[in-house]
Amino acid sequence: MIIATLKAQKEAKNPKTYILGAHYDGVDNPAANDNASGTATMMEITKQLSKKKLNHNIQFMAFGAEEAWMVGSTKYVESLSKQQKDDIAGMINFDMVGVGDSLGIFTSYPESKQHLTDAFVQKAKEMKLKYERGTLMASDQVPFEDAGIPTALIFYQTDKNYHTDNDTIDKIQKEDLQNSLNITLDVLGNLTK
Ligand SMILES: [Zn+2]
């Protein structure tokens, strides 16, 4: 697991932490969409935010062993103290953001805190993106959500080549990556004003 932190500027009042995550393992295939697309998007966001003054800490996490049932993210959340968990204002997870025409804006459970997903939905409407809300209990946001942290799983659907040898880079739709990047930068910009 790899973690990088962009710290809030010194003048920031009461800084919290937002986490952006993506798993970097894959099943035994090229894994272009699942999940090089997610890690690449996360890294580009890191690059763009690194030039800005931030009012909150932003942490970037590349998780290992997601495909073995979220081992990396689960171990990470287990390692946190109550105080550390309380300091996390939200977690945004990118998993398969490069194939499909509908942006999924999901939590793990219907009853979870929705303020992050609400912010993404509002922005998707403004950007006139096709999107779908729902729930999915299989990706790295789950352990964070289990710990009471607001989350949003961002992914495109549907990828018929998921977990096959055809999950190759030629299938990646650059517009999906761009939309995932733009919407997240906008949402984070608003949340961390
Ligand atoms: Zn995945």
Side-chain angles (χ1 to χ4, degrees), residues 8-124:
Q9 58 181 328
K10 285 200 185 74
E11 302 80 39
K13 293 182 187 108
N14 192 23
K16 296 276 185 182
T17 297
Y18 285 86
I19 293 174
L20 303 186
H23 72 85
Y24 72 94
D25 63 312
V27 295
D28 190 15
N29 70 8
N33 191 35
D34 187 14
N35 189 29
S37 67
T39 46
T41 301
M42 178 184 70
M43 285 169 71
E44 180 60 25
I45 294 169
T46 314
K47 195 171 140 195
Q48 299 210 12
L49 289 179
S50 67
K51 298 165 196 151
K52 299 203 164 134
K53 285 197 169 174
L54 300 168
N55 292 320
H56 295 276
N57 305 307
I58 313 260
Q59 273 196 322
F60 303 87
M61 298 189 183
F63 300 108
E66 188 272 346
E67 300 289 2
W69 206 246
M70 305 165 285
V71 174
S73 49
T74 300
K75 291 276 172 203
Y76 175 76
V77 173
E78 279 173 6
S79 77
L80 297 175
S81 66
K82 179 167 187 316
Q83 183 62 52
Q84 285 171 315
K85 286 178 194 164
D86 288 347
D87 282 340
I88 301 173
M91 190 277 182
I92 301 166
N93 182 33
F94 303 95
D95 197 352
M96 302 175 66
V97 291
V99 176
D101 64 358
S102 178
L103 179 69
I105 303 172
F106 279 29
T107 52
S108 309
Y109 317 100
E111 64 274 21
S112 297
K113 293 168 186 157
Q114 301 289 334
H115 91 259
L116 264 181
T117 43
D118 285 346
F120 272 95
V121 164
Q122 192 193 333
K123 193 52 76 176

